[in-house]
Amino acid sequence: MTLNLPRHARYDYSPITERKDYSWPGGTRLAFCITTNVECFAFGKGRGHDSAKHGEPQTQRNYSWRDYGNRVGIWRFFDLFDELKLPAAHNTNSLLYDYAPQIFDAIRRRNDEIVAHGRTNSENLHDFRWEADEARAIKEVTDTFTKNEGRAPQGWMGAGAYENSTTPDLLKEAGYRYLMDWPCDDQPIWLRTRAGPILGVPYPVEINDSPAVVHRQHSAREFCDMIVDQFDWMIEECARHPLVYNISIHPYVFGQPFRMQPLRAAFRHCVEHKLKDRVWFCKPGEISDYCYALPAGTIPGN
């Protein structure tokens, strides 16, 4: 008897050693992104991490801990990015406009990118049982960003990276050019949808402070060692393959004062590295635009 594993049809297997070579702008080889997660939550209800114990119910304590990121932590991030002259993208809940519009003022001032991140992280797309309901939620998010920013977001990162079976189809049909829910590669790939291809831009599960610090209980310095070790490996390896190095940080996690110092040191290591000429410090939307402009067949996928 042959075992037939359940599979998906979004992409085919493609080893990185058998792909076409290309470079990023200016002959660079490593696309370096910082992606924050700027989120708002329901008080006492819905989903969301707890700072002390996994699986705890929603309380004023964990609401306040997460809200610290919007009140204090994100502003430390902005200061650090300004200090090191780093661009950033922000996975942002659309309901944040009703709560903390000043954050969007700062994003605009810096010319950073907004990546659509659902309505609130008190829900994820698994909460929508029917395709039509999910499509309406995606439209609501898209319309909110379009109304406030004058243009629709180009990228999507689902809350928790959760998807339903038709989510990429709905995102493509809603006008999105890329998504970051499939952490299967260190290069962008094309994902199939019923409306044509959408770009999958690498987004980290590992170099991500939520699973690393909150779930696996790594210390701030352990996580920042990961940032440095990942960079040092990829800055060498990118001579053979163009790569994307994306870092995910949450203001309520790494925006705490005692974590900022090792984060600054890790970012400075990358910015001042002896091989920094190989690095393109960019935003995921810029990666997407660049990939769409490459000749057909360059990016893996169909």
Side-chain angles (χ1 to χ4, degrees), residues 152-300:
Q154 297 299 295
W156 177 277
M157 171 66 203
Y162 287 105
E163 288 189 353
N164 295 312
S165 61
T166 57
T167 300
D169 306 306
L170 295 173
L171 291 171
K172 177 70 176 183
E173 290 161 3
Y176 285 88
R177 289 166 60 83
Y178 76 90
L179 74 164
M180 298 195 292
D181 292 342
W182 292 70
C184 59
D185 216 296
D186 285 333
Q187 291 183 343
I189 65 169
W190 295 115
L191 299 168
R192 298 187 189 96
T193 82
R194 64 195 181 196
I198 190 170
L199 191 71
V201 173
Y203 181 82
V205 169
E206 298 288 343
I207 308 299
N208 183 324
D209 63 0
S210 176
V213 175
V214 177
H215 292 290
R216 299 199 282 275
Q217 300 292 293
H218 287 296
S219 70
R221 282 182 167 77
E222 286 175 325
F223 181 75
C224 290
D225 284 346
M226 297 176 200
I227 291 176
V228 169
D229 290 346
Q230 180 106 337
F231 182 85
D232 285 351
W233 186 275
M234 296 182 88
I235 196 66
E236 298 285 349
E237 189 179 51
C238 71
R240 300 193 303 276
H241 319 287
L243 301 173
V244 173
Y245 177 29
N246 199 343
I247 301 164
S248 171
I249 50 177
H250 294 67
Y252 59 84
V253 179
F254 252 85
Q256 304 287 338
F258 73 95
R259 293 189 178 112
M260 288 298 299
Q261 188 66 24
L263 185 66
R264 173 194 275 152
F267 284 169
R268 184 171 286 149
H269 172 87
C270 301
V271 169
E272 298 176 355
H273 195 277
K274 64 181 180 180
L275 297 176
K276 63 181 181 295
D277 290 346
R278 293 183 180 180
V279 184
W280 177 32
F281 295 98
C282 62
K283 295 166 280 192
E286 294 172 321
I287 293 173
S288 173
D289 289 344
Y290 189 82
C291 290
Y292 272 89
L294 288 170
T298 303
I299 299 299

Side-chain angles (χ1 to χ4, degrees), residues 85-143:
K85 297 179 173 56
L86 285 168
H90 308 276
N91 297 332
T92 312
N93 292 159
S94 62
L95 288 175
L96 197 69
Y97 283 108
D98 297 332
Y99 180 68
Q102 297 95 325
I103 292 175
F104 293 98
D105 293 338
I107 291 173
R108 294 184 203 106
R109 172 184 61 80
R110 287 183 36 81
N111 196 31
D112 283 347
E113 181 183 359
I114 291 172
V115 180
H117 193 40
R119 299 186 297 189
T120 168
N121 270 47
S122 287
E123 66 182 14
N124 65 53
L125 293 181
H126 281 181
D127 294 318
F128 299 98
R129 297 182 60 189
W130 308 111
E131 181 179 330
D133 294 331
E134 182 181 3
R136 279 192 290 270
I138 291 171
K139 184 178 187 303
E140 178 185 330
V141 171
T142 308
D143 289 349

